[in-house]
């Protein structure tokens, strides 16, 4: 389907032809402390459009932490399974918002939910989802894996493997993986490359351990980059920019 992703970091051709973009729900808040910030959603949609126009097939998973986070609800006394289902529903709301923004950019988009809700989005059927990608539609996977106790990081890794994606792009507020929090420590050092085992051993803040293990077992690289950097998503696919590559 494409290159190995190991080719030169220079040039104009995208290094991958099908990717998973994983972003947190908090990324949609902008400078708000809660909910959705429409200008921020539109900005991210424009970033996706630029990459889509390069011919890259894109699927997405968006977290729900800007609306409700299951673990936090559980910590406050709510039964964990119920809290996680509420978090899954929050991801559907975010997915619909992103679908609206992408369609406003003229991109055909499908929201596919692990929890059936036929009036608002499609149920997850793997072959149908693959066909949407082949038709150059952006596919947004919502409701996590459909099971409690699994994060949207794990859902993104699962769907990326099922869709035969060549990499997961993890959009964050910083330009890669650091040995410690760069917002708190001036001497934090960014990794250009780090292995899955190092991420697990050093407990680096990339994805949860289940997602990292699933990516490692299927040799699926994770590219961690700044979603706040204009043109960052496109630049990395063109072999440029600053990021950390997590690999086997």
């Amino acid at each position: 389907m494409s290159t190995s992703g190991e080719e030169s970091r220079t040039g104009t051709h995208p290094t991958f032809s099908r990717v998973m973009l994983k972003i947190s729900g908090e990324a949609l808040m902008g400078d708000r402390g809660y909910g959705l910030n429409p200008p921020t959603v539109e900005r991210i949609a424009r970033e996706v459009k630029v990459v889509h126009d390069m011919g890259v097939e894109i699927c997405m998973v968006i977290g729900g932490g800007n609306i409700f986070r299951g673990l936090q609800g559980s910590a406050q006394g709510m039964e964990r399974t119920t809290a996680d289902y509420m978090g899954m529903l929050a991801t559907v709301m975010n997915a619909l918002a992103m679908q609206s923004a992408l369609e406003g950019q003229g991109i055909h988009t499908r929201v596919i939910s692990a929890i059936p809700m036929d009036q608002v989005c499609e149920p997850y059927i793997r072959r149908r989802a693959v066909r949407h990608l082949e038709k150059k539609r952006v596919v947004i996977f919502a409701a996590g894996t459909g099971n409690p106790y699994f994060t949207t990081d794990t859902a993104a890794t699962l769907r990326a493997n099922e869709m035969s994606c060549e990499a997961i792009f993890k959009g964050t507020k910083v330009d890669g993986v650091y040995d410690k929090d760069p917002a708190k420590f001036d001497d934090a050092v960014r990794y250009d490359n780090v292995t899955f085992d190092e991420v697990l051993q050093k407990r680096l803040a990339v994805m949860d351990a289940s997602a990292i293990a699933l990516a490692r077992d299927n040799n699926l690289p994770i590219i961690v980059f700044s979603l706040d950097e204009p043109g960052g998503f496109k630049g990395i696919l063109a072999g440029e920019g600053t990021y950390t590559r997590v690999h086997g």
Side-chain angles (χ1 to χ4, degrees):
M1 186 163 49
S2 82
T3 75
S4 66
E6 294 287 352
E7 65 184 62
S8 170
R9 289 169 69 140
T10 61
T12 57
H13 297 292
T15 52
F16 301 102
S17 63
R18 179 180 293 175
V19 301
M20 165 65 73
L21 174 61
K22 168 61 172 69
I23 61 178
S24 67
E26 288 88 346
L28 306 184
M29 294 190 306
D31 55 4
R32 296 184 178 185
Y34 183 82
L36 289 160
N37 184 34
T40 301
V41 178
E42 290 176 12
R43 177 182 63 79
I44 295 172
R46 288 194 296 270
E47 296 273 331
V48 173
K49 174 179 168 54
V50 171
V51 172
H52 180 268
D53 289 347
M54 294 167 65
V56 179
E57 296 172 2
I58 303 169
C59 39
M60 299 178 67
V61 167
I62 307 171
N66 57 318
I67 300 171
F68 188 87
R69 185 179 293 279
L71 273 174
Q72 290 177 354
S74 178
Q76 294 174 12
M78 186 176 292
E79 195 271 323
R80 173 65 188 272
T81 301
T82 298
D84 278 355
Y85 278 122
M86 291 174 67
M88 291 180 218
L89 295 177
T91 71
V92 177
M93 296 172 67
N94 285 337
L96 292 173
M98 183 59 65
Q99 178 186 42
S100 178
L102 287 168
E103 290 181 340
Q105 299 286 329
I107 300 174
H108 295 292
T109 308
R110 296 291 186 273
V111 173
I112 297 180
S113 172
I115 299 175
M117 47 186 80
D118 295 348
Q119 289 179 304
V120 294
C121 51
E122 295 182 13
Y124 177 68
I125 299 172
R126 178 184 171 275
R127 288 180 180 273
R128 181 184 293 175
V130 169
R131 185 61 177 148
H132 286 320
L133 289 171
E134 291 171 348
K135 290 184 176 181
K136 307 304 178 184
R137 297 165 180 157
V138 171
V139 176
I140 306 174
F141 294 105
T145 65
N147 301 287
Y149 296 94
F150 289 93
T151 67
T152 50
D153 282 344
T154 301
T157 310
L158 173 65
R159 297 297 184 226
N161 279 303
E162 290 179 304
M163 295 298 107
S164 300
C165 291
E166 296 159 352
I168 298 173
F169 278 70
K170 175 73 181 289
T172 69
K173 292 185 176 295
V174 293
D175 58 355
V177 179
Y178 286 76
D179 61 345
K180 47 190 159 185
D181 190 344
K184 297 179 180 177
F185 300 95
D186 292 336
D187 61 344
V189 177
R190 186 181 59 80
Y191 296 93
D192 281 330
N193 292 275
V194 63
T195 67
F196 294 118
D197 287 338
E198 286 176 311
V199 168
L200 292 172
Q201 290 166 5
K202 298 178 181 179
R203 299 192 176 188
L204 300 176
V206 180
M207 289 180 164
D208 66 75
S210 296
I212 293 295
L214 184 58
R216 179 192 61 191
D217 292 348
N218 291 278
N219 197 29
L220 180 66
I222 302 170
I223 310 296
V224 183
F225 71 107
S226 173
L227 199 63
D228 292 337
E229 183 69 27
F233 190 22
K234 173 192 174 184
I236 294 168
L237 277 158
E240 304 164 354
T242 302
Y243 58 91
T244 297
R245 181 186 179 95
V246 185
H247 55 85

